[in-house]
Amino acid sequence: MSDFRAEWLLGEMTRYWEDIHAAGRVPALTKILDVVRHTTSLRFAVIARVTQGYWIACAVRDGIGLGLEAGDKLPVETTISQDVLCRGEPVVIDHVDVNPTYAEHVAPQLYHFQSYISVPIFLPDGTFFGTLCATDPVPHDLDKPEILAMFRLFADLAAFHVDASSRLAENEITLSRERTQSELREQFIAVLGHDLRNPLMSIESGARMLLRRPERAVELVPHIQKSTARMAALISDLMDFARGRLGDGIVLERNIEYALQASLEQIVREVETAHPGRRIKTSFKLDHAVTCDSGRVAQLFSNLLANAITHGDPDEPIIVRASTNEKSFELSVSNAGKPIPPEAHEKLFQPFARGGGQSSQHGLGLGLYIASEIATAHQGRLAVTSTDGETCFTCRFPIEPSPPSRR
């Protein structure tokens, strides 16, 4: 299946479930159908979402045992609602067998009705939503102005409720997003102020000391440089956060990399130098070139190693594996230590997540978030498994990126 076709089907299914969810929020629809059945003596009534691609029952009152329930889907070409959709006008049938237009139609043969009425439901903005239908296995005298006027009135009432429910759902989503953004901003300000204060105070303290005692420059300048580097790293993480959360995602500079292993080995050496007491065991088998942003992959790897250093058992080695096959690149970092609770897994890759209440010395809490964003930018995924014996983060992405989907 082509990427374009798969994307189209996904969009159709998404809209399908959105329609069902929207209609399911409107209990008034079933009450409308109850009134329709009572006033017309038609024993089956339904409000359906109708498009060129599908017919969905949103609300049903079935007094003839047809077996149709809310959420059920019918081929739209087997329904008379398709004609209502195409023309935007009602269809009224007193007796199918003597109706010159619909006597041979597939719908009455499949669904066994003789009388039928269907009117279009237009939302307040003029959009066609679907139909209000009622049928019965026996003929009924339906072609009367007062009956059609009643159905039009109930169709307008159904449209009002569907539209109001949809707007309510949109408002709830907007409110939820705004609440999330507000919480994120509060976290951002609190964490930023806390984590930048320490290196800034260190630089300020060192500068004051240099003014009083210039002879201590050899001792103090390296500390100032380390604090400056730490602030630069924090600012870099914040820039990546802004790109991933507020922009179009992390931008990659992809190249065909034949020496990715050397880059990974360099990261291992740097971490071992910074943490001489920690052991890192590696297993690299990169037999295929990888089209990637090697700098970003190194950043992802460095973040995973830093996480393992922070949370892993210091007496046990960190296990690193990297491999390629004809289709994908895989990198994993494992450490011993306390398992991550299952309920915390989904929060690990969120910004400012700090497992176990770790102190600010471990950074802004953006490491795993940025690593996950880098994996996503490479059309891959970062996942975690955690048991009593081991926690393992695994990144996997294709060695060649897929072409952009056609629009």
Side-chain angles (χ1 to χ4, degrees):
M1 180 183 296
S2 68
D3 291 341
F4 177 78
R5 176 66 176 169
E7 183 178 345
W8 179 83
L9 286 175
L10 178 60
E12 284 296 299
M13 290 307 297
T14 300
R15 286 187 288 274
Y16 167 78
W17 288 114
E18 286 176 349
D19 291 337
I20 292 299
H21 178 69
R25 296 167 56 94
V26 191
L29 297 185
T30 54
K31 295 180 180 179
I32 290 174
L33 298 182
D34 286 336
V35 176
V36 167
R37 290 181 57 200
H38 178 74
T39 55
T40 63
S41 298
L42 297 172
R43 287 171 284 174
F44 180 88
V46 59
I47 291 174
R49 175 73 170 105
V50 183
T51 73
Q52 293 290 355
Y54 52 79
W55 182 105
I56 310 167
C58 296
V60 181
R61 279 292 186 256
D62 184 2
I64 60 176
L66 191 59
L68 198 67
E69 298 180 352
D72 287 348
K73 185 178 179 183
L74 298 177
V76 69
E77 63 273 11
T78 68
T79 69
I80 297 178
S81 291
Q82 185 181 43
D83 293 357
V84 180
L85 167 65
C86 293
R87 297 201 299 263
E89 294 293 336
V91 172
V92 182
I93 306 171
D94 291 340
H95 191 176
V96 167
D97 287 347
V98 297
N99 186 286
T101 303
Y102 292 100
E104 302 299 324
H105 195 281
V106 66
Q109 299 176 33
L110 282 176
Y111 308 120
H112 309 292
F113 60 81
Q114 285 296 316
S115 52
Y116 176 91
I117 182 170
S118 177
V119 297
I121 298 174
F122 291 101
L123 299 179
D125 64 359
T127 302
F128 183 94
F129 175 81
T131 57
L132 167 62
C133 305
T135 69
D136 199 89
V138 299
H140 281 266
D141 189 11
L142 301 175
D143 196 3
K144 297 178 179 179
E146 59 271 22
I147 292 180
L148 187 57
M150 179 191 70
F151 267 79
R152 288 185 186 275
L153 176 63
F154 283 134
D156 289 342
L157 184 60
F160 169 81
H161 283 290
V162 169
D163 182 66
S165 177
S166 178
R167 291 180 183 276
L168 177 61
E170 289 175 0
N171 289 338
E172 290 175 351
I173 292 172
T174 300
L175 181 61
S176 176
R177 287 175 179 169
E178 290 179 351
R179 186 182 296 116
T180 299
Q181 291 297 327
S182 176
E183 293 173 354
L184 199 59
R185 283 192 296 271
E186 291 175 2
Q187 287 179 307
F188 182 89
I189 294 169
V191 173
L192 180 61
H194 186 269
D195 285 341
L196 280 179
R197 185 180 297 115
N198 287 343
L200 186 60
M201 289 177 63
S202 177
I203 293 171
E204 183 182 11
S205 176
R208 286 200 307 266
M209 185 69 70
L210 279 174
L211 288 174
R212 292 197 304 267
R213 301 182 62 180
E215 70 275 10
R216 295 188 61 187
V218 174
E219 173 190 350
L220 294 173
V221 168
H223 291 289
I224 293 175
Q225 289 175 327
K226 287 181 180 178
S227 296
T228 303
R230 172 158 172 73
M231 289 185 67
L234 292 173
I235 292 170
S236 178
D237 281 351
L238 289 172
M239 293 297 293
D240 283 337
F241 161 75
R243 294 187 189 100
R245 193 77 175 192
L246 307 175
D248 296 327
I250 289 177
V251 179
L252 303 180
E253 294 183 7
R254 284 191 174 96
N255 292 289
I256 300 176
E257 297 293 340
Y258 295 93
L260 189 57
Q261 180 171 329
S263 177
L264 300 180
E265 290 172 343
Q266 175 62 28
I267 297 297
V268 172
R269 286 194 293 269
E270 291 175 0
V271 173
E272 287 178 330
T273 300
H275 304 275
R278 301 302 296 269
R279 291 176 294 155
I280 301 175
K281 294 184 177 181
T282 62
S283 174
F284 295 138
K285 191 177 181 181
L286 304 178
D287 299 328
H288 299 78
V290 181
T291 301
C292 65
D293 186 328
S294 60
R296 286 298 191 179
V297 173
Q299 182 183 8
L300 179 153
F301 183 35
S302 179
N303 287 359
L304 294 183
L305 277 179
N307 181 76
I309 292 289
T310 299
H311 300 287
D313 185 339
D315 297 325
E316 296 294 330
I318 295 169
I319 309 299
V320 174
R321 299 181 179 88
S323 62
T324 57
N325 56 35
E326 294 180 353
K327 293 184 178 181
S328 63
F329 164 80
E330 182 174 304
L331 170 67
S332 68
V333 177
S334 305
N335 63 265
K338 294 182 180 179
I340 302 171
E343 61 272 16
H345 284 201
E346 63 182 26
K347 298 180 180 179
L348 285 175
F349 304 121
Q350 295 179 4
F352 308 119
R354 300 187 188 214
Q358 296 293 334
S359 66
S360 64
Q361 66 177 336
H362 301 303
L364 289 168
L366 291 173
L368 291 178
Y369 168 75
I370 292 172
S372 178
E373 289 293 299
I374 292 172
T376 299
H378 282 87
Q379 300 178 357
R381 181 172 179 264
L382 180 61
V384 62
T385 58
S386 188
T387 64
D388 288 337
E390 179 185 72
T391 294
C392 180
F393 287 86
T394 302
C395 171
R396 184 181 295 107
F397 59 80
I399 62 173
E400 293 184 4
S402 301
S405 299
R406 290 176 292 171
R407 297 291 179 179

